[in-house]
Amino acid sequence: YIANVISALEEKQSFRHITGTPEDYVIGLEESHGIMVSTGVRDKDAAGAAIMLAERASQEKEKGKTLVDALFDVFRKVGVHIARQVSIVIEGAIGMEKIASMQRGFRTLEMGGALGGKTITRKDAFLNESAHGPYLSGTDEKARNFISFEVDGGFRVLVRPSGTEPKIKLYAEVIGQPLGADASSSQIEKERASLNQALQGVMDAVAQQGYSLLGLNMPLFALRCSPLMGLDARLDFANAFIEELKSKSALGDNESLGRWVDARISSYGKDARGLIKWGVAEWLNSDGQDLPSTAKKAVRGVFGID
């Protein structure tokens, strides 16, 4: 409801604790990349954003730089910002019920408790009308069904069920310290890699905690499968397919193994090999390290893993 805020500033010169006028507006964004660039057109789309991005690219080109150079300059000034999103898909008649149950489980977590292997230092539930104002509509109430957590180490985690699809979305982000104007590109890349690794660890732990709220144990390698996979397929992959793959791959025959794989996972969906490729890769690098070299080679060949 970005336009609603602007209307309030236009009519009353205030919105909750904010005072000002529409001329004070800078920019408004949403997760799906809709950007409202002007109060003259009170709708979010990609066209205005594309024009602004093209203009900025042109400005950087005139200085002999690129958009990446501009981004790195921001990192030098305010710190590297890394964000990740994982979706847990639960299809079927009881899918929405399980998603609601998982959200209720996250909602019970309080400050001082554990989330993603970290201690919760702040919690903000946006369904709280005392803190965030009354619902503007039923749609607004559904949109505000998300929770923001801050955990030690400077990480922020958000949990939100999708309003249109059978899934719950988990977000995590972290912002590093300003690196200074003299920081080199290699220093920035090193900082990005370090924060990215730390954030991945938190994201994995949050996802596993989400599954545990439903009484499910989801191994790390199963998390690496495509987010397009439903819960039933992911559980089958983790608990049955991998064990079967161990014995089938021992033959070391790529052609016959490939035929078996395609038949075995056909129920997973379109491009089934692609859906589980990175899950298989993670398994090979962890639990599958003891496989004979011929079996590893066969599995890598079938899934196109380098």
Side-chain angles (χ1 to χ4, degrees):
Y1 292 106
I2 299 172
N4 183 60
V5 176
I6 297 171
S7 293
L9 296 179
E10 191 172 54
E11 296 168 9
K12 300 181 293 185
Q13 288 73 57
S14 67
F15 180 83
R16 297 182 191 166
H17 64 285
I18 300 169
T19 59
T21 69
E23 284 67 37
D24 297 313
Y25 177 79
V26 179
I27 197 168
L29 310 90
E30 64 177 356
E31 182 208 355
S32 58
H33 306 302
I35 299 179
M36 197 170 98
V37 302
S38 166
T39 60
V41 180
R42 299 183 187 183
D43 192 17
K44 302 182 294 293
D45 64 16
I51 292 171
M52 290 186 70
L53 190 65
E55 181 181 29
R56 182 60 186 270
S58 177
Q59 292 169 348
E60 294 301 322
K61 185 176 181 180
E62 288 179 358
K63 295 184 290 186
K65 294 184 176 183
T66 67
L67 287 173
V68 174
D69 295 324
L71 177 63
F72 277 27
D73 284 342
V74 173
F75 289 159
R76 291 182 177 97
K77 186 175 182 179
V78 302
V80 173
H81 183 187
I82 303 289
R84 285 185 173 273
Q85 187 236 310
V86 168
S87 293
I88 295 178
V89 179
I90 310 179
E91 298 173 323
I94 62 172
M96 298 303 286
E97 181 181 325
K98 287 183 178 291
I99 290 169
S101 176
M102 188 183 295
Q103 181 75 348
R104 286 194 297 269
F106 280 118
R107 197 175 293 283
T108 63
L109 301 178
E110 298 294 346
M111 289 176 55
L115 178 63
K118 305 285 186 179
T119 300
I120 299 171
T121 57
R122 181 179 176 181
K123 174 185 175 183
D124 197 357
F126 287 81
L127 286 177
N128 186 334
E129 291 186 274
S130 297
H132 296 284
Y135 306 134
L136 300 178
S137 65
T139 302
D140 184 38
E141 182 178 0
K142 288 182 179 179
R144 281 166 52 175
N145 183 22
F146 73 98
I147 316 163
S148 172
F149 298 95
E150 291 180 16
V151 299
D152 59 352
F155 300 94
R156 185 180 183 218
V157 176
L158 298 99
V159 183
R160 174 180 176 263
S162 170
T164 56
E165 300 174 274
K167 63 185 177 183
I168 187 168
K169 298 180 179 181
L170 310 176
Y171 308 83
E173 62 181 359
V174 63
I175 301 176
Q177 296 298 314
L179 298 175
D182 296 329
S184 66
S185 295
S186 61
Q187 287 176 300
I188 294 173
E189 291 289 10
K190 184 177 180 180
E191 173 79 346
R192 290 179 80 181
S194 176
L195 289 175
N196 203 37
Q197 183 178 19
L199 190 64
Q200 183 66 66
V202 171
M203 190 82 269
D204 288 340
V206 171
Q208 289 179 315
Q209 187 169 345
Y211 283 113
S212 71
L213 290 170
L214 300 180
L216 302 173
N217 177 35
M218 193 63 66
L220 183 62
F221 63 80
L223 295 181
R224 294 291 177 266
C225 293
S226 168
L228 298 177
M229 280 182 70
L231 179 60
D232 289 343
R234 197 178 299 272
L235 288 172
D236 179 74
F237 171 80
N239 300 322
F241 173 78
I242 285 295
E243 288 300 318
E244 296 169 22
L245 182 63
K246 288 181 184 179
S247 59
K248 296 291 183 180
S249 63
L251 300 175
D253 181 353
N254 286 37
E255 187 174 342
S256 60
L257 180 62
R259 287 197 298 269
W260 173 80
V261 165
D262 288 338
R264 175 61 179 78
I265 64 176
S266 60
S267 64
Y268 288 6
K270 187 177 180 181
D271 185 24
R273 286 197 201 185
L275 293 176
I276 66 174
K277 174 179 178 178
W278 299 114
V280 173
E282 179 70 34
W283 171 73
L284 283 174
N285 292 330
S286 53
D287 300 21
Q289 286 185 340
D290 295 333
L291 279 181
S293 58
T294 53
K296 285 184 181 179
K297 185 177 180 180
V299 172
R300 290 182 182 278
V302 167
F303 288 95
I305 300 170
D306 295 331

